[in-house]
Amino acid sequence: MVKRVGQKKRGKYSRKPKKIILIGTEGNNQTEKNYFTAFNQTQSEYKINVAKGNNTDPEGVIRDLLKTAKQEELDLKQGDILACFIDVDFKQGREKELRAAIKLARQNNVSLYLSNPCFEVWYLLHFRYSTKPYCSNDEAIRDLNSYISDYSKSKDVFELIVGNSKQAIENSKKLEDYHQSNGTIDRIKKIPYTDVYKIVEMLLNTEQ
């Protein structure tokens, strides 16, 4: 069973336990794990944990997330959250995988966040607004290296970018408007794209 944070008594009162955000990511990728668990330093309402498992296909990631949630007895009715982060990517057959994952997430109250082509688009939006239609993950990562030298997916960049979080949220919303104005509604078809800003905006609003 997951241990709730903040149950220590203060005099005759006790602090409200923190709700859990359990996140699922692809395989052993440290990018999203490092970024989101860093928010634990400032959170007043949520404790961010990482689901067990190393699946790399979108449906598998969600199933690992649901399995961990059951093991740790999370309670969505009490405000716990299941969040999954997936790259749209350029792999063959990816669209079919993503559509199946979106359906599975919807059926199980999992918040599924997509980045196209990859999570690094979210990092880039901390530094600039751009509608550049990337042709590969590597291309996005090369652009990010212009702002974060020697960037790699295992590098912890939280402290380097957190000060620009509000700018990244504004740029993400602007990008949403851009796709909307062009008539692109399908998240999978939007490039560049990320809706990670939605959960980050919530986390910023629940800081200590």
Side-chain angles (χ1 to χ4, degrees):
M1 180 175 177
V2 66
K3 184 178 179 181
R4 299 285 168 170
V5 178
Q7 294 177 318
K8 191 178 189 179
K9 289 186 176 180
R10 284 182 174 175
K12 60 181 180 179
Y13 300 103
S14 61
R15 289 179 289 175
K16 183 180 177 181
K18 289 183 179 180
K19 291 171 282 190
I20 302 298
I21 298 177
L22 185 67
I23 68 170
T25 64
E26 298 172 87
N28 294 316
N29 194 338
Q30 296 298 311
T31 313
E32 296 93 333
K33 296 175 185 177
N34 289 339
Y35 177 75
F36 282 106
T37 55
F39 278 101
N40 284 327
Q41 303 168 39
T42 57
Q43 268 300 298
S44 62
E45 190 167 341
Y46 294 99
K47 171 72 168 64
I48 301 165
N49 293 339
V50 178
K52 302 170 186 175
N54 55 9
N55 265 297
T56 56
D57 65 287
E59 277 191 280
V61 175
I62 294 173
R63 295 192 191 282
D64 283 343
L65 180 64
L66 294 171
K67 182 178 179 180
T68 303
K70 184 176 181 180
Q71 291 172 341
E72 298 192 354
E73 299 182 12
L74 267 65
D75 190 344
L76 304 190
K77 292 181 180 179
Q78 296 298 316
D80 292 334
I81 294 172
L82 303 180
C84 188
F85 301 90
I86 300 292
D87 290 349
V88 173
D89 221 328
F90 291 94
K91 298 175 184 175
Q92 187 174 4
R94 189 64 163 179
E95 182 173 342
K96 183 179 179 181
E97 291 180 348
L98 290 168
R99 297 212 183 278
I102 289 170
K103 181 179 179 181
L104 181 62
R106 188 181 300 118
Q107 291 171 339
N108 290 277
N109 296 311
V110 174
S111 298
L112 179 60
Y113 299 95
L114 299 181
S115 297
N116 194 359
C118 55
F119 191 80
E120 281 74 15
V121 168
W122 168 243
Y123 287 167
L124 276 164
L125 288 166
H126 287 71
F127 302 102
R128 72 178 192 193
Y129 168 76
S130 174
T131 60
K132 180 178 179 179
Y134 290 108
C135 296
S136 69
N137 294 4
D138 288 342
E139 188 180 2
I141 291 172
R142 280 197 299 271
D143 278 0
L144 185 57
N145 265 288
S146 299
Y147 302 97
I148 303 175
S149 60
D150 300 319
Y151 173 79
S152 69
K153 283 187 170 292
S154 61
K155 186 170 184 174
D156 188 348
V157 302
F158 185 81
E159 295 298 334
L160 297 175
I161 66 173
V162 67
N164 292 344
S165 296
K166 291 183 179 180
Q167 184 63 51
I169 291 169
E170 289 179 14
N171 286 338
S172 297
K173 291 178 178 179
K174 189 176 178 182
L175 197 53
E176 288 263 31
D177 291 341
Y178 166 79
H179 289 301
Q180 187 77 22
S181 66
N182 286 335
T184 308
I185 307 300
D186 189 346
R187 286 196 294 168
I188 296 175
K189 302 297 185 182
K190 297 176 181 179
I191 184 167
Y193 174 78
T194 183
D195 52 12
V196 169
Y197 74 90
K198 295 177 181 178
I199 190 170
V200 173
E201 190 168 39
M202 182 195 74
L203 291 171
L204 293 178
N205 288 333
T206 54
E207 287 185 332
Q208 294 173 347

